[in-house]
Amino acid sequence: MRFSVIIPARLASTRLPNKPLADIAGKPMVVRVAERAASSGAEHVLVATDHPDILAACRMHGIDARMTRADHLSGTDRIAEVAAALGLPDDAVVVNVQGDEPLIDPNLIAATAALIAPGVTTATAAHPIHDVADLFDPNVVKVVLDKVGRAMYFSRAPIPWNRDAYAQTRDALPPGPAPLRHIGLYAFSQAFLQAYPTLAASPLERIEALEQLRVLWHGYPIAVHQTEHAPSAGVDTPEDLDRVRRHFGHDS
C-alpha cells in the first residue's frame, strides 16, 4: 500500500506554548513525530506548518517541510494545501498524523491507510473502551460502526447507550461488545482531501465540536480500523511532555 504522511504543525498552543518545537531528547517534538511516521512505510513524510521556526527546525533534522497559509481552520485544510502543491494523483492516499503524537504506532498509520479503496475516501481508527470513566468523559470521543466497519456516528456522549444496563448502574460497563474510542488519525484519498475544504460545516459538527461529522453529514463513508490496544497519549500539557520525555530517556 503506497501512501504519504503529512503532519500539520501550528506554533500556537494555549496549554503548551511552542509545542511542536518542544525538546524531546535533543530533537523537536514535530521531528520525533515525523521519524515515527517514516517507520510506517510511507513513501513520503512531510510537515505542513504556518511558522518559519518549525520549517527551519524540520529541515535542520532532514525532515521535509512546507509553509502553508496561516488562516487554515483545521489541520485537514492545512494538509490539503500541501497535498495540492505536491500534485498527487486523485487516487493517492494521504494520512494526517497529528504533530503532537511522538509515540504514535507506525503500524497503526499503515493499517489506517490500507482502508482507503474505491468507494472509501476516508479512514480512521478506534480501540475498545474498558474504563467506564472514559465512556462518560466528554473529552473521550466515541464511535459506533455498522456491520462492515464503517462509522455510523461520532459523539462525546456515551454511545451506544445501553438502556437497560444503565438504568441499573453507571458504575460499570455493561456486558457485551465494548464501546469504541475514536483515535484522531485520518487517511484520505487525494480527491476527497481536495474536496473537503469546499464542504460546508454541518450542524452536528458545531454541536459536538467534532470535525469528522462533516464527512458523514455530506454522505461520505468513513472506514474504521479497530486496534485492541489504546495508543500512547499525545502531548497537550506540560505533564504529557514530561511523560514523553521520560519515554525517550530525557528528563529536562
Side-chain angles (χ1 to χ4, degrees):
M1 176 70 185
R2 300 176 64 187
F3 62 94
S4 299
V5 171
I6 304 180
I7 302 164
R10 292 175 61 247
L11 193 65
S13 174
T14 303
R15 288 184 287 181
L16 191 60
N18 300 330
K19 181 166 67 169
L21 298 178
D23 182 84
I24 300 176
K27 295 180 180 180
M29 177 160 56
V30 69
V31 170
R32 292 290 183 187
V33 176
E35 290 175 341
R36 296 284 284 190
S39 298
S40 68
E43 59 181 352
H44 194 189
V45 175
L46 61 86
V47 172
T49 184
D50 65 345
H51 201 281
D53 287 354
I54 296 176
L55 184 79
C58 289
R59 291 181 174 175
M60 182 183 299
H61 291 276
I63 303 299
D64 192 3
R66 310 291 173 91
M67 288 293 295
T68 68
R69 302 196 327 260
D71 61 348
H72 286 302
L73 297 178
S74 72
T76 307
D77 294 318
R78 193 174 306 282
I79 71 166
E81 178 187 340
V82 170
L86 291 175
L88 299 174
D90 284 351
D91 61 352
V93 177
V94 179
V95 182
N96 180 349
V97 174
Q98 298 301 312
D100 57 3
E101 299 278 352
L103 299 179
I104 191 166
D105 181 0
N107 294 323
L108 185 62
I109 297 173
T112 303
L115 293 181
I116 301 298
V120 179
T121 57
T122 306
T124 189
H127 70 84
I129 293 174
H130 298 298
D131 185 340
V132 70
D134 286 339
L135 182 66
F136 288 92
D137 184 349
N139 294 313
V140 174
V141 178
K142 278 70 67 172
V143 59
V144 291
L145 310 182
D146 66 13
K147 66 179 182 179
V148 296
R150 296 182 182 178
M152 297 174 66
Y153 192 65
F154 297 86
S155 183
R156 297 181 182 278
I159 55 172
W161 182 259
N162 191 315
R163 184 195 63 178
D164 295 339
Y166 294 134
Q168 300 298 317
T169 180
R170 298 183 188 179
D171 295 331
L173 292 174
L180 295 175
R181 178 178 187 165
H182 177 232
I183 300 168
L185 171 73
Y186 295 95
F188 304 99
S189 71
Q190 165 74 334
F192 178 77
L193 182 58
Q194 297 309 313
Y196 177 85
T198 71
L199 300 177
S202 73
L204 291 175
E205 172 188 355
R206 294 190 179 102
I207 291 169
E208 295 257 20
L210 295 175
E211 181 186 344
Q212 62 270 37
L213 290 174
R214 185 183 311 182
V215 180
L216 297 182
W217 176 265
H218 287 279
Y220 295 94
I222 301 177
V224 181
H225 170 71
Q226 291 189 59
T227 178
E228 285 304 309
H229 305 290
S232 297
V235 176
D236 288 318
T237 66
E239 292 74 22
D240 293 335
L241 182 58
D242 289 341
R243 169 180 50 80
V244 171
R245 284 172 166 171
R246 287 193 296 271
H247 174 88
F248 281 93
H250 175 74
D251 296 314
S252 62

